[in-house]
Amino acid sequence: MPMDNLWEKTAVSPPATKILASAQSTYDLVVIGAGFSGCSAAITARDLGASVAVFEAKTVGYGGSGRNVGLVNAGLWTPPDEIEATIGKREGTHLYECLSAAPDQVFSLIDRLNIECQARRNGTLHCAHATSGLSDLKNRMKQLRARGAPVELLDAHATSHRVGSERFKGALFDPRAGTIQPLSYVRGLAKEAMKAGADLFENAPVHHVKKTSSGWMVSVGDQVVFAKALLLATNAYLHGLTGLPAPQFTKVGYFQAATRPLEPTWQRSILQNKEGCWDTALVMSSFRMDGEGRLVIGGVGSLESLGRGAHLAWAQRKLALLFPQLAKEQLQEAWSGVICMTGDHIPKIQEIGAKGYALFGYSGRGIGPGTVFGATAAKALLTGDRQDLPVVPTKAHREHLTGLKQVYYEAGATLTHLTAARGP
C-alpha cells in the first residue's frame, strides 16, 4: 500500500505564497508554522490591522493540520469534570466554553470565507466498543448535558442503524460537530490571510530567534526580520529552531488508510448521515466517509515505525470487522502524522518572552482548538487583552520521560494491532 496522503490528492489548490526575498524588515507579528493555528492567527492579525508574516518550514498544512482525521469536535476528549479537577473550576469552565463553541467558529469561517473543504455539520458519533465504553459514554453525557450540550446517547440498535455496523454497544451523538477536508480548510485559511494582506512564506524554516529590547529578531535562511510579537504555532512539528526553550510534550503517531470511492449502495448503508466517528477503546480508532465516498479508517501508530505492517494489517481487518460487506475491499492509500500530547491532555499557551507565545498540546483535536487558540493568541499579543484566551498562559511547562512515553505509545499500539480486530 503506497504512503500517499489522500488529503493531498483531493484538496483544493495550494496558495501561491511569497518568496523570502519579498519579506519586509519589520512586522507587528511573526508566526512560525502555517497550520490551523498559524493561519487563524494571521487572519485575526490582519482583521486588527496589524502587519503579519507566517514562515512555514515545508508547505501550508504539511504537519498535523494536513494529516488530520478531519473531525471538527466540540470540546476536548477529556471529560469536563476532569478538566476542572486539573486546572480549577473557573479556568476549566472557561476552556470548556471556548472549545464547545469551536465548531461554530470553524464552520462560520468556512461560510464567511467561502472555503471549499467538503464541510458537513452532521455531528459526530463517539462509539462504545464494549460495555465499559458505554458506561464511559453515559458518564460523559451526564457531564455534557449538565453544561447544556445537546448530546444524545444512542442504544446499540440506533447506533447500528446510523453507523451501518453491529459492532458497537451504543454511541454518543454530538450535533454541534462535523467533518471537513482538513488540508483544504487550512489552505483556505492561508489564502484568506494572504488576500487580507498577510505575507506567507513556504519552504522558509526559521532556524533562530532572539529576544531584543523592542521585540524579536527572527532568522530565516540568510535573512533576518524583526517582529514586535512572536507566535510559535508548530505544535508537534518543531525542528531545528534555536534561541527558545523547546516546548515539552509527547509525540504520538496516528495513521489513516482509505478505500477507493465506494459503490453508491454501500455509501447509502454505511454512515448514512456521514457523521465522523471514533471509539472508546484505549488504543483509539476512528472512521469517516470523505466527500467522494471513500471510507477512511485511522488508529494510533506511526507508519514510519517498525509497526507499519501491523498497523496496516489491523486497518484491513478492522474494515472487514466493522463492515463485512467491505471484506474484499482493499485499502488503497495510507498516511500518518504526529499528535502533540501533554501529560494532562490540556492544550497549553506558554510564554516564551515578552509578547511571545507558543501554542501546543491539542492531543489530536487540532481543528477546533487550533483555530480558536491561534485567533485568540494573535489578539492577545497584539492588543494586550488576554481575556479571550482559552487557557491562562504558563511561564513554563514541564513534561517528564517524553521519549520513553513516545516509545510506550507506539509499542502499545503495535502490540494491540497485532492481535485486535480478528473476529468475535
Side-chain angles (χ1 to χ4, degrees), residues 217-252:
M217 183 174 72
V218 181
S219 299
V220 192
D222 59 0
Q223 190 160 335
V224 174
V225 300
F226 294 88
K228 297 176 183 177
L230 179 70
L231 180 63
L232 181 61
T234 55
N235 208 27
Y237 288 79
L238 176 63
H239 305 288
L241 176 63
T242 61
L244 290 175
Q248 297 183 15
F249 51 80
T250 299
K251 295 182 179 181
V252 178

Side-chain angles (χ1 to χ4, degrees), residues 34-41 64-66 68 180 182-183 185-186 189 366-367 370-371 374:
F36 301 132
S37 295
C39 293
S40 176
S65 297
N68 194 281
I180 59 173
L183 184 56
Y185 173 60
V186 71
L189 293 178
I367 298 173
T371 301

Side-chain angles (χ1 to χ4, degrees), residues 256-278:
Q256 297 176 79
T259 67
R260 63 181 176 88
L262 299 177
E263 297 175 8
T265 53
W266 288 345
Q267 290 189 40
R268 288 192 292 270
S269 66
I270 297 172
L271 293 174
Q272 297 178 36
N273 296 327
K274 304 300 181 285
E275 301 97 337
C277 306
W278 76 103

Side-chain angles (χ1 to χ4, degrees), residues 51-364:
S51 60
V52 56
V54 182
F55 294 103
E56 166 57 48
K58 300 289 188 178
T59 55
V60 169
Y62 171 85
S65 297
R67 303 166 192 271
N68 194 281
V69 176
L71 305 188
V72 186
N73 290 297
L76 299 172
W77 61 265
T78 302
D81 282 2
E82 291 183 24
I83 295 172
E84 291 179 7
T86 301
I87 63 176
K89 174 73 173 178
R90 181 179 177 181
E91 289 78 8
T93 298
H94 179 64
L95 175 60
Y96 171 79
E97 290 175 348
C98 287
L99 296 188
S100 291
D104 287 337
Q105 185 163 338
V106 170
F107 286 107
S108 65
L109 269 175
I110 290 169
D111 290 340
R112 178 168 64 88
L113 306 178
N114 294 314
I115 297 175
E116 297 180 17
C117 60
Q118 300 178 3
R120 292 195 190 103
R121 198 171 188 182
N122 292 350
T124 54
L125 293 167
H126 192 179
C127 300
H129 76 294
T131 303
S132 59
L134 184 61
S135 177
D136 174 58
L137 293 183
K138 290 178 179 177
N139 181 46
R140 287 172 182 267
M141 181 185 69
K142 181 179 179 181
Q143 294 182 37
L144 292 171
R145 283 191 170 177
R147 293 164 173 82
V151 295
E152 176 186 1
L153 187 65
L154 308 179
D155 63 19
H157 177 74
T159 301
S160 175
H161 178 72
R162 296 280 279 272
V163 175
S165 173
E166 299 180 354
R167 302 301 303 187
F168 299 108
K169 303 296 183 181
L172 190 62
F173 173 63
D174 190 339
R176 299 171 295 175
T179 61
I180 59 173
Q181 210 279 21
L183 184 56
S184 288
Y185 173 60
V186 71
R187 285 180 174 177
L189 293 178
K191 290 177 181 178
E192 178 61 27
M194 295 181 66
K195 180 181 176 182
D199 288 347
L200 200 157
F201 306 93
E202 293 182 312
N203 300 305
V206 175
H207 57 84
H208 183 74
V209 298
K210 181 180 179 180
K211 192 74 183 73
T212 69
S213 59
S214 58
W216 297 87
M217 183 174 72
V218 181
S219 299
V220 192
D222 59 0
Q223 190 160 335
V224 174
V225 300
F226 294 88
K228 297 176 183 177
L230 179 70
L231 180 63
L232 181 61
T234 55
N235 208 27
Y237 288 79
L238 176 63
H239 305 288
L241 176 63
T242 61
L244 290 175
Q248 297 183 15
F249 51 80
T250 299
K251 295 182 179 181
V252 178
Y254 199 90
F255 76 97
Q256 297 176 79
T259 67
R260 63 181 176 88
L262 299 177
E263 297 175 8
T265 53
W266 288 345
Q267 290 189 40
R268 288 192 292 270
S269 66
I270 297 172
L271 293 174
Q272 297 178 36
N273 296 327
K274 304 300 181 285
E275 301 97 337
C277 306
W278 76 103
D279 65 25
T280 56
L282 180 61
V283 180
M284 186 195 77
S285 59
S286 61
F287 55 98
R288 58 161 296 192
M289 199 83 75
D290 84 337
E292 285 80 35
R294 299 176 184 86
L295 193 65
V296 183
I297 288 185
V300 176
S302 172
L303 298 185
E304 298 179 0
S305 72
L306 294 175
R308 170 186 164 86
H311 299 322
L312 293 178
W314 165 84
Q316 194 67 60
R317 295 195 308 271
K318 185 76 170 181
L319 176 70
L321 187 66
L322 291 178
F323 308 106
Q325 66 270 46
L326 302 183
K328 295 183 179 180
E329 276 295 313
Q330 293 297 308
L331 293 167
Q332 302 290 312
E333 301 155 300
W335 66 101
S336 62
V338 180
I339 292 171
C340 178
M341 187 174 292
T342 61
D344 58 11
H345 308 302
I346 294 174
K348 307 300 177 189
I349 301 176
Q350 183 175 330
E351 295 182 353
I352 53 177
K355 291 194 174 183
Y357 287 154
L359 310 177
F360 60 96
Y362 301 141
S363 296

